[in-house]
């Protein structure tokens, strides 16, 4: 029985959404942070897209954003030459880390004690968040601006990508272990701890490498230039999006294209699976985030599957269940206006 994919649209940003990240699964669910050129990163409930709050303080476009595992801290990277660390429960700014150029990427260690940053000055920096007054450790070696930097191998190593190179570093010795060179610009990089898999996109290619050795595993070619790709936690599917406004879903094992559909009204800049694999989020040039079901028609979050009468001849389609919302408004669920100060965290229930 055919089921129609009905995305949840999360509005509130006023410029292109360029990065997003999910937290781990916490006792209160999981959370989603988005980075936007409007300079106002937002925190949302991950399974519904409901707006929780906006982190106010940057004076330029925010290029990168992340949450720690338990969603108690957030970090952002911006064009105002700073990275900021935030209390993700209260929304308070905890510290501002000054850089000498635009900051593009931030990542916490698993224990949230250290923050890795990278940007246009071609340097990786490691900040001890328990000693904010201390100078960061610096790693040099990149020859162009750093787009993405991630901890890997239980924080023993670091992966970083600049324009056409991906490098693997040893944390203890601060030296390069190995590098990969590409003949075109690297557009995104995702690290999957379970299985130590690295997902890299460049041009129309989606490539999978070992995060330990950087050896190739497999690669897929998409019909259009891809800006971002994400691998399902169970390694069943991968999703990708790019310049043709479309989202593509592939079978990871066979490489078969399972679905493709227009996702946004502009190029897609970032896609990520939720930690439970039930949905994936996409951010676009059109200023919106959208949430999509991995298995269309499943009752989950705001989606509720309503099957028609057997003799009606209609196709089944998922229905979005949203309390106190008029029926005609269910076509697209949008978040509240975000131009207010950071609101409180979701109510904690005993």
């Amino acid at each position: 029985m055919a089921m129609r994919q009905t995305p949840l649209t999360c509005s509130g940003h006023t410029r292109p959404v360029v990065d997003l990240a999910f937290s781990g699964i916490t006792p209160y669910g999981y959370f989603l942070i988005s980075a936007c050129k409007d300079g106002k990163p937002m925190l949302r409930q991950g399974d519904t897209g409901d707006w929780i709050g906006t982190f106010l303080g940057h004076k330029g476009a925010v290029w990168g954003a992340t949450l720690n595992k338990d969603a108690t801290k957030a970090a952002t990277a911006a064009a105002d030459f700073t990275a900021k660390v935030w209390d993700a429960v209260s929304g308070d700014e905890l510290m501002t880390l000054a850089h000498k150029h635009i900051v593009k990427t931030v990542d916490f260690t698993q224990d949230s004690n250290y923050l890795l940053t990278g940007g246009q000055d071609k340097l990786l920096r490691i900040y001890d968040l328990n000693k904010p007054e201390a100078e960061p450790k610096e790693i040099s070696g990149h020859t162009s601006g750093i787009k993405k930097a991630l901890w890997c191998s239980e924080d023993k190593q670091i992966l970083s990508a600049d324009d056409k190179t991906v490098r693997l570093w040893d944390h203890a010795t601060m030296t390069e272990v190995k590098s990969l060179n590409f003949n075109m610009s690297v557009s995104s990089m995702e690290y999957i701890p379970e299985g130590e898999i690295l997902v890299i996109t460049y041009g129309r290619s989606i490539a999978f490498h070992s995060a330990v050795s950087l050896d190739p595993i497999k690669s897929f070619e998409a019909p259009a230039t891809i800006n971002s790709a994400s691998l399902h936690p169970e390694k069943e599917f991968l999703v990708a999006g790019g310049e043709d406004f479309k989202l593509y879903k592939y079978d990871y094992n066979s490489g078969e294209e399972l679905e493709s559909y227009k996702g946004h009204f502009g190029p897609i800049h970032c896609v990520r699976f939720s930690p439970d694999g039930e949905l994936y989020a996409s951010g676009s040039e059109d200023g919106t985030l959208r949430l999509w079901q991995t298995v269309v028609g499943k009752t989950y979050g705001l989606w509720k599957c309503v099957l028609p009468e057997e003799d009606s001849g209609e196709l089944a389609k998922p229905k979005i269940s949203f309390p106190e919302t008029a029926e005609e408004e269910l076509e697209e669920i949008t978040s509240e206006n975000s131009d207010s100060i950071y609101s409180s965290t979701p109510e904690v229930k005993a």
Side-chain angles (χ1 to χ4, degrees):
M1 186 176 287
M3 302 291 281
R4 183 164 65 90
Q5 175 75 266
T6 305
L8 304 179
T9 301
C10 308
S11 59
H13 282 301
T14 58
R15 297 285 309 282
V17 178
V18 292
D19 192 28
L20 55 87
F22 284 100
S23 71
I25 297 173
T26 78
Y28 315 110
Y30 60 88
F31 300 86
L32 171 64
I33 191 171
S34 54
C36 181
K37 289 185 182 180
D38 63 11
K40 297 176 180 178
M42 291 185 182
L43 183 69
R44 299 177 187 273
Q45 190 74 35
D47 60 342
T48 63
D50 288 340
W51 176 78
I52 296 171
T54 301
F55 299 99
L56 300 176
H58 278 297
K59 297 177 180 177
V62 175
W63 287 102
T66 193
L67 293 165
N68 66 348
K69 217 170 183 180
D70 58 7
T72 57
K73 288 181 182 176
T76 50
D80 60 8
F81 293 19
T82 70
K84 290 181 184 286
V85 180
W86 312 80
D87 183 320
V89 179
S90 68
D92 294 335
E93 182 182 314
L94 299 177
M95 62 186 74
T96 296
L97 306 170
H99 290 62
K100 295 176 181 177
H101 212 310
I102 294 167
V103 191
K104 284 290 188 76
T105 179
V106 281
D107 195 34
F108 288 106
T109 49
Q110 291 183 29
D111 60 12
S112 307
N113 288 330
Y114 295 89
L115 186 73
L116 173 66
T117 72
Q120 290 297 95
D121 62 3
K122 308 172 190 174
L123 292 173
L124 292 167
R125 290 183 171 84
I126 301 170
Y127 290 87
D128 184 338
L129 300 182
N130 295 315
K131 300 175 182 175
E133 70 289 342
E135 288 296 313
K137 295 179 182 177
E138 294 183 353
I139 301 175
S140 60
H142 278 284
T143 56
S144 61
I146 297 167
K147 295 180 174 180
K148 196 75 175 178
L150 301 166
W151 294 103
C152 67
S153 303
E154 297 182 337
D155 305 331
K156 295 183 180 74
Q157 293 182 309
I158 294 167
L159 289 159
S160 56
D162 61 19
D163 188 35
K164 294 182 179 179
T165 310
V166 170
R167 300 176 192 270
L168 179 66
W169 309 85
D170 181 80
H171 182 198
T173 62
M174 311 277 279
T175 56
E176 183 180 313
V177 178
K178 197 173 180 181
S179 64
L180 289 172
N181 295 303
F182 299 89
N183 59 7
M184 59 186 71
S185 183
V186 174
S187 52
S188 75
M189 184 172 73
E190 180 188 48
Y191 167 64
I192 310 296
E194 296 78 16
E196 297 288 336
I197 298 172
L198 185 60
V199 187
I200 303 168
T201 60
Y202 56 96
R204 296 186 176 192
S205 298
I206 307 161
F208 299 86
H209 290 256
S210 163
V212 177
S213 64
L214 296 190
D215 292 340
I217 299 171
K218 63 174 71 178
S219 65
F220 303 132
E221 288 292 312
T225 299
I226 295 299
N227 293 330
S228 183
S230 185
L231 181 61
H232 189 270
E234 300 295 326
K235 324 290 189 304
E236 297 173 359
F237 314 107
L238 67 117
V239 290
E243 293 300 306
D244 64 352
F245 305 8
K246 292 178 76 175
L247 281 161
Y248 295 90
K249 181 180 173 185
Y250 295 93
D251 182 293
Y252 175 66
N253 295 308
S254 68
E256 177 190 357
E257 182 184 307
L258 302 175
E259 299 173 28
S260 68
Y261 35 82
K262 186 175 179 181
H264 287 272
F265 298 102
I268 295 165
H269 294 309
C270 44
V271 293
R272 284 292 176 270
F273 271 106
S274 62
D276 62 2
E278 292 287 350
L279 60 81
Y280 48 98
S282 58
S284 168
E285 184 77 14
D286 65 16
T288 67
L289 280 167
R290 297 192 184 208
L291 304 182
W292 310 82
Q293 282 190 287
T294 303
V295 179
V296 179
K298 190 173 182 178
T299 294
Y300 180 84
L302 296 183
W303 290 283
K304 183 178 180 182
C305 183
V306 179
L307 294 174
E309 295 295 326
E310 288 184 11
D311 58 356
S312 70
E314 294 179 12
L315 294 178
K317 70 175 184 177
K319 181 182 178 68
I320 298 171
S321 174
F322 199 63
E324 300 177 9
T325 303
E327 189 73 25
E328 61 270 15
E329 292 175 349
L330 292 175
E331 190 69 22
E332 283 192 337
I333 301 298
T334 57
S335 303
E336 299 174 27
N337 191 308
S338 65
D339 292 332
S340 60
I341 62 170
Y342 192 100
S343 72
S344 62
T345 193
E347 183 182 15
V348 178
K349 294 178 181 171

